Amino acid sequence: MSSSPATPPIGTRARLPGLDGVRALAVVLVLAYHLVPGLAPGGFVGVDVFLVVSGYLITALLLAEHAREGGIRLGRFWRRRARRLLPALLLVVGASAGVAALIGGDVLVGIDWQLLGAATFSSNWVAIAQGASYLDQTSPELLRHLWSLAVEEQFYLLWPLALAGLLVLPRRWMRVAVPVALAVASAVAMGLVAGDPAADGAAASSAYFSTLTHGFGLLVGAGLALARRPLALPADRAAGRIPAAVADAGAITAAVGIVALASILAIDGAAAYRGGMVAVVLLTAVLLLALDHPGGRVAPLIDRGPAGWVGERSYGLYLWHWPVVVLLGAALPGIDRTGATGWMLGLLALAISLPLAAGSYRWLEQPVRRHGLAALGVGRRAEVAPSPAAGSPSGAPSPAAGAPAPAPIARRPWAVALVATAVTALLLAGTTAAVVRAPAESQAAAAILAGQTALDELERRPAPTVPPEPLVLTAPSPAPTVPPGDEIIAIGDSVMLASAPALQERFPGILIDAAVSRQMRAAPDLLRGYAAAGELRSTVVLGLGTNGPIDAATLDEVRRILGPSRTLVLVSAQAPRDWTPGVNGELTTFAARFRAVELADWRSAIEPQLALLAGDQIHPGSAGARVYADAVDGAVRRLTALPRFQDYLADLS
């Protein structure tokens, strides 16, 4: 099979302007989202930028090949994609799994199915089948980020076949209408499937991972390429261009709009799934159009310097950054991942990822992409000219004037082959060790299961028959006593569930109602239910700040339900999540307003000893659960020392 020509044919061009800058923008958003807590809460939309550019340029390449050769050579296309994607992917997966095997623990949970997804480019579907949550950014899934690469690879596999059929249609508008209609259907399906992300994270994660509901970016890019065939020279395309200054202003406006959306969207907010990501996709399409102007100044500017350097290495940066930050968190379990220390951890991950991506690009990705296996000293030397850039994180940079020459093939291929074989064997050994050492469940899952088991065992015990106590007439004690457990009801989330055995030991007879993923907004209905059943006790403990923001209105409603005869303990939240500071601020402010409300400061109590928590830095083990019980006990004792009725009157004044 013949190779691509060394120079583009007359009437076409080898690259499109501004691509490296767009890729840099996309990967910076993703890095900010994953590495720096709170910097870009919607930085996940960088993936949507990648998807649009990928669909646009892959379609442009296929159209150029069809125009040049009268057809699409599928084998050659897929081979180019494999040479671009697989070398760096195999290195990252093997090296990450090997390091994880050395660290052990939670970071290895589920590594078998993650490796299966990586090997078959089906990570997104495997994640959906396993019930993995993208919304839970504290989960230690080592290869979670490969879901987007899987979506792209599925597109690379199917789209050339579909495009060959579309090109049979007689009118260009018909060819454009098909991917646009599919994109609209995909976007609508995402909004419907996601439902309420804050209440049902599993449904939202399925909508986010699925190729069917998250494929609209690829399809919009493909439709844009079909509409304008961007690899044709400017003179061969539509005339009557807008002024260059207007195009530059449009590019800047679109880029600013993408950054603005990345600063306000939230992965657990309905807006992201019902128009937010679609808006980013449309702005990216505008950005690509605006940059592709012969007189524009923005595109040459962003293709050079640091932006161009980052854009060229965006694939490696995307691959390396997530495993690096996950492995750092696993190796340093006592480091707080929020606030200043969270930033430091993210910057350390970035400092490690940059040289890894640069080295992979220089010594692995570029040589193999240009020379095939001959670059590793294996097989026949193939002189293959680079194809134009593919603008996803898996895209390849295209040649430019003055660009450095690719790394030459080693003069001693046998030595290179020997090294490549040794490295491959080492990576294979690392992945095997990771699978063998992987625990069946995470520390957090084990702690939650232990708590649930303790509650279930208590329910199975028969109620003891207690004879009535004899009436003893004694003078009341002047000092208030701590209420016994049978006067306390505790309602909480998975953190309270993991702490249930310690709470039962500290407060025998306590009623605990705790569930995974529960939020504060569920508290009013739960309390009304207990009140209606006559089971709402005199002291109420609420530990519901882990899984999402809270507001003062919900807390006010809780207090109205409790009335003047009950006291309330609010448990602060410990979780490396963006909303945790806001949650704790609301709880602290509310407790300070009312003397019949007390804060159990679990966050401050556990902060100096985060090693007592599971790898997610949320769920306590047995020792951490005792710290949780201590915090609740201290708050209950402080409430006991207050005059009850007079205090409530003071609250109302």
Side-chain angles (χ1 to χ4, degrees):
M1 187 176 295
S2 62
S3 62
S4 301
T7 57
I10 297 175
T12 64
R13 50 184 176 166
R15 66 169 295 154
L16 297 174
L19 294 181
D20 288 335
V22 175
R23 288 190 310 217
L25 170 64
V27 79
V28 166
L29 291 177
V30 174
L31 293 174
Y33 176 60
H34 284 153
L35 301 184
V36 187
L39 180 61
F44 56 89
V45 300
V47 171
D48 294 279
V49 176
F50 278 132
L51 293 178
V52 176
V53 181
S54 181
Y56 181 65
L57 290 175
I58 289 298
T59 305
L61 290 172
L62 293 171
L63 290 174
E65 180 180 0
H66 187 273
R68 184 172 64 244
E69 302 184 11
I72 298 173
R73 307 180 73 171
L74 296 175
R76 184 170 63 187
F77 169 77
W78 288 327
R79 189 165 59 251
R80 286 199 306 263
R81 290 290 83 206
R83 281 165 50 167
R84 177 64 185 118
L85 296 175
L86 292 182
L89 177 64
L90 292 174
L91 177 62
V92 170
V93 170
S96 301
V99 175
L102 295 175
I103 296 173
D106 282 3
V107 75
L108 292 175
V109 174
I111 193 65
D112 49 355
W113 65 260
Q114 294 179 59
L115 290 171
L116 174 65
T120 58
F121 289 107
S122 61
S123 294
N124 60 327
W125 297 113
V126 174
I128 291 173
Q130 293 292 324
S133 173
Y134 188 80
L135 278 64
D136 182 6
Q137 295 300 319
T138 59
S139 175
E141 293 168 13
L142 185 65
L143 305 176
R144 174 198 287 166
H145 66 315
L146 296 186
W147 74 269
S148 64
L149 189 60
V151 170
E152 290 190 42
E153 271 301 308
Q154 292 156 30
F155 176 78
Y156 297 154
L157 179 64
L158 298 176
W159 179 243
L161 301 173
L163 183 60
L166 286 179
L167 292 176
V168 176
L169 297 177
R171 301 292 183 185
R172 182 177 294 185
W173 70 265
M174 297 178 181
R175 305 168 196 163
V176 175
V178 173
V180 170
L182 291 173
V184 172
S186 175
V188 171
M190 171 177 271
L192 294 175
V193 172
D196 182 359
D200 189 356
S205 293
S206 295
Y208 192 79
F209 283 136
S210 173
T211 308
L212 301 178
T213 52
H214 207 154
F216 50 86
L218 290 162
L219 292 165
V220 166
L224 184 62
L226 281 165
R228 61 191 310 267
R229 305 179 74 92
L231 287 179
L233 288 175
D236 297 333
R237 298 203 310 275
R241 293 181 173 279
I242 62 175
V246 176
D248 286 344
I252 294 172
T253 302
V256 170
I258 292 170
V259 173
L261 287 171
S263 67
I264 61 175
L265 292 176
I267 193 64
D268 62 340
Y273 302 85
R274 298 174 185 169
M277 284 180 264
V278 172
V280 170
V281 163
L282 297 178
L283 286 171
T284 304
V286 172
L287 178 60
L288 292 172
L289 287 173
L291 290 173
D292 192 9
H293 192 291
R297 297 183 179 182
V298 174
L301 180 65
I302 63 176
D303 272 341
R304 297 192 299 263
W309 189 92
V310 170
E312 287 180 341
R313 292 152 184 83
S314 58
Y315 178 48
L317 281 170
Y318 184 83
L319 285 182
W320 281 109
H321 83 281
W322 179 254
V324 168
V325 75
V326 169
L327 291 170
L328 282 175
L332 304 169
I335 299 296
D336 187 4
R337 298 175 203 164
T338 60
T341 52
W343 280 58
M344 292 176 62
L345 189 68
L347 293 176
L348 177 59
L350 180 62
I352 295 172
S353 301
L354 281 171
L356 287 174
S360 172
Y361 177 83
R362 174 67 177 84
W363 290 300
L364 179 62
E365 299 169 45
Q366 285 294 82
V368 172
R369 186 176 67 87
R370 296 177 185 274
H371 303 294
L373 292 178
L376 301 179
V378 181
R380 179 176 60 88
R381 175 169 178 157
E383 293 294 345
V384 180
S387 61
S392 67
S394 57
S398 43
I409 298 177
R411 295 183 179 180
R412 292 178 177 163
W414 62 268
V416 179
L418 184 62
V419 173
T421 302
V423 171
T424 301
L426 185 62
L427 296 178
L428 183 60
T431 55
T432 303
V435 173
V436 171
R437 292 200 62 197
E441 61 184 7
S442 67
Q443 295 174 350
I448 293 171
L449 179 60
Q452 187 63 61
T453 301
L455 294 181
D456 293 343
E457 182 180 348
L458 185 63
E459 289 183 359
R460 287 193 295 267
R461 294 177 185 173
T465 302
V466 181
E469 296 182 1
L471 181 62
V472 179
L473 298 177
T474 59
S477 172
T481 59
V482 177
D486 57 10
E487 294 183 12
I488 302 174
I489 180 173
I491 297 175
D493 50 30
S494 58
V495 178
M496 182 180 286
L497 186 57
S499 304
L503 289 172
Q504 290 175 331
E505 181 181 359
R506 185 64 55 85
F507 305 103
I510 186 175
L511 174 58
I512 300 175
D513 180 351
V516 175
S517 299
R518 183 180 282 169
Q519 297 187 33
M520 183 64 76
R521 61 183 180 177
D525 287 340
L526 290 169
L527 292 171
R528 289 190 190 97
Y530 279 108
E535 298 178 358
L536 191 57
R537 300 181 178 184
S538 60
T539 298
V540 177
V541 179
L542 292 184
L544 292 168
T546 306
N547 297 300
I550 62 176
D551 58 71
T554 302
L555 296 175
D556 285 331
E557 185 177 3
V558 164
R559 193 161 183 279
R560 283 194 298 271
I561 295 170
L562 298 185
S565 61
R566 297 181 180 89
T567 54
L568 174 63
V569 173
L570 299 172
V571 184
S572 63
Q574 158 56 39
R577 293 174 171 171
D578 295 340
W579 58 73
T580 303
V583 164
N584 290 335
E586 287 286 352
L587 296 176
T588 302
T589 300
F590 191 83
R593 286 172 55 197
F594 305 105
R595 295 186 64 194
V597 180
E598 189 65 37
L599 181 72
D601 200 353
W602 156 244
R603 159 70 179 175
S604 296
I606 198 63
E607 185 177 13
Q609 38 193 342
L610 292 176
L612 299 181
L613 301 178
D616 60 1
Q617 291 198 342
I618 297 176
H619 298 93
S622 57
R626 288 192 290 272
V627 177
Y628 187 97
D630 287 343
V632 173
D633 182 66
V636 171
R637 290 179 181 277
R638 290 192 295 274
L639 280 175
T640 303
L642 297 175
R644 302 279 290 275
F645 182 71
Q646 294 88 340
D647 183 57
Y648 185 76
L649 292 179
D651 293 344
L652 297 179
S653 61

